[in-house]
Amino acid sequence: MKILILLIVYAVSLTAAKTLDIYVIDVEGGKSVLFVSPSGQSMLFDVGWPASPTRPSSTDRIVEVARAAGLKQIDILVVSHFDVDHMGDVAELIAKFPVRKLFDHGAISSGERMKAYAVVREKLGATVLKPGHKIPIRGVDIQVLSASGNLITRPLRGAGAQNPLCQTYKQAAVIERDVEDNRSIGLLISFGKFRMLDLADLEAHHSHNLVCPKNLIGSVDVYNLNVHGQFKGVAAEMVGAVRAPVVIQANGARKGADAQTWPILRAAPGIQDIWQVHQSLNAGKDANPPEDFIANIEPTDGFKWIKITAATDGTLTVTNTRNGFTKRYSD
């Protein structure tokens, strides 16, 4: 009997998940991405929106996806920055679904919203992230590229080549009013050969410095585009440098995935497909991907998410949970 039990345990371990599963959650033009490692550890990157008179809180959608992923807790919550569509309602989230650790950029400002967050922050014991830090998830390498207005200054392993696109594209002007966007925590998530870039709301002016004059990042497989695909977050020299075959726009129906963004993405070397959380009503038909690559079609919004399943050999599949459409990508 003991031998039989051991054989069953061994068989289960062989069939256990060996992929990094990534869920780009529909939070209506806010941001929330869930990562689940083969070890079962999880990281939630941003919390979407709090409740307001015009929209519900994103919390219930996050909890729904976390449960669909088989989770009983979120091990690490990273709040990229303190804009309302990213920090959401952390107190409500932890009341509905356990969160073990909290990471942020540390520059706490004043205001009632920040006071409420500070209470949760103290309760969880927040860790302040800086460029060069790593986030501890077993089996996954998560590197901090930007935080609180600072960027890495040395190339990552295998990166550092001169970027010829820096001569073609002038650095965008800084938008002075958008201070908090440019405090965003930006991450590179690596799982074996698979690499995903997510710079939250870092705008084009600041992104430029990560790839010019040298590309400090290298190439990636998936790029979750800055600022939901709003034009102010899109630097052609960045999109071209990272050569991502898959670009995700975590947009809302009328926020992000701007029409001006589309030609920059389509012209980027290496790109195969653009996936969107929502059909962009502002962009028009010619600046949206085919419907199979859009998780939510207007006017029917099913709150569906995009799932990425990545293997250590760099292969990945992307699934539209609205209709089950899946596409596989390989090196």
Side-chain angles (χ1 to χ4, degrees), residues 240-263:
V242 300
R243 302 183 67 88
V246 174
V247 171
I248 307 287
Q249 298 200 89
N251 64 312
R254 294 193 180 277
K255 180 184 175 184
D258 290 346
Q260 305 98 307
T261 297
W262 186 258

Side-chain angles (χ1 to χ4, degrees), residues 203-226:
E203 293 182 0
H205 175 89
H206 290 68
S207 295
H208 175 94
N209 295 326
L210 285 169
V211 293
C212 290
K214 294 182 179 181
N215 178 0
L216 304 182
I217 300 170
S219 61
V220 303
D221 301 286
V222 176
Y223 182 11
N224 190 20
L225 201 62
N226 308 30

Side-chain angles (χ1 to χ4, degrees), residues 160-232:
Q162 292 286 332
N163 181 3
L165 296 173
C166 302
Q167 302 300 316
T168 306
Y169 299 103
K170 181 181 177 182
Q171 184 174 17
V174 66
I175 303 174
E176 298 289 351
R177 69 179 181 275
D178 289 347
V179 173
E180 190 57 33
D181 275 358
N182 293 311
R183 287 179 176 154
S184 288
I185 291 168
L187 301 178
L188 179 72
I189 301 97
S190 301
F191 179 59
K193 293 182 178 179
F194 171 81
R195 304 173 95 223
M196 176 174 172
L197 180 64
D198 189 331
L199 298 173
D201 275 3
L202 200 69
E203 293 182 0
H205 175 89
H206 290 68
S207 295
H208 175 94
N209 295 326
L210 285 169
V211 293
C212 290
K214 294 182 179 181
N215 178 0
L216 304 182
I217 300 170
S219 61
V220 303
D221 301 286
V222 176
Y223 182 11
N224 190 20
L225 201 62
N226 308 30
V227 204
H228 322 279
Q230 290 182 57
F231 181 65
K232 67 180 181 178

Side-chain angles (χ1 to χ4, degrees), residues 90-146:
V90 178
E92 181 185 54
L93 175 64
I94 67 172
K96 292 188 174 185
F97 204 80
V99 174
R100 292 188 62 238
K101 296 180 181 179
L102 174 64
F103 293 74
D104 62 29
H105 66 50
I108 302 293
S109 59
S110 60
E112 291 302 314
R113 183 165 57 92
M114 293 309 301
K115 284 181 182 178
Y117 176 73
V119 171
V120 178
R121 195 174 185 274
E122 183 175 357
K123 178 179 179 180
L124 292 178
T127 299
V128 175
L129 292 174
K130 297 180 179 181
H133 284 178
K134 292 195 176 186
I135 297 175
I137 296 285
R138 287 194 304 274
V140 184
D141 184 71
I142 304 175
Q143 302 183 68
V144 179
L145 306 186
S146 67

Side-chain angles (χ1 to χ4, degrees), residues 31-58:
K31 177 174 177 293
S32 188
V33 184
L34 177 66
F35 298 81
V36 182
S37 75
S39 69
Q41 283 190 298
S42 58
M43 179 182 80
L44 183 68
F45 194 17
D46 285 337
V47 194
W49 297 91
S52 75
T54 58
R55 69 167 57 84
S57 163
S58 300

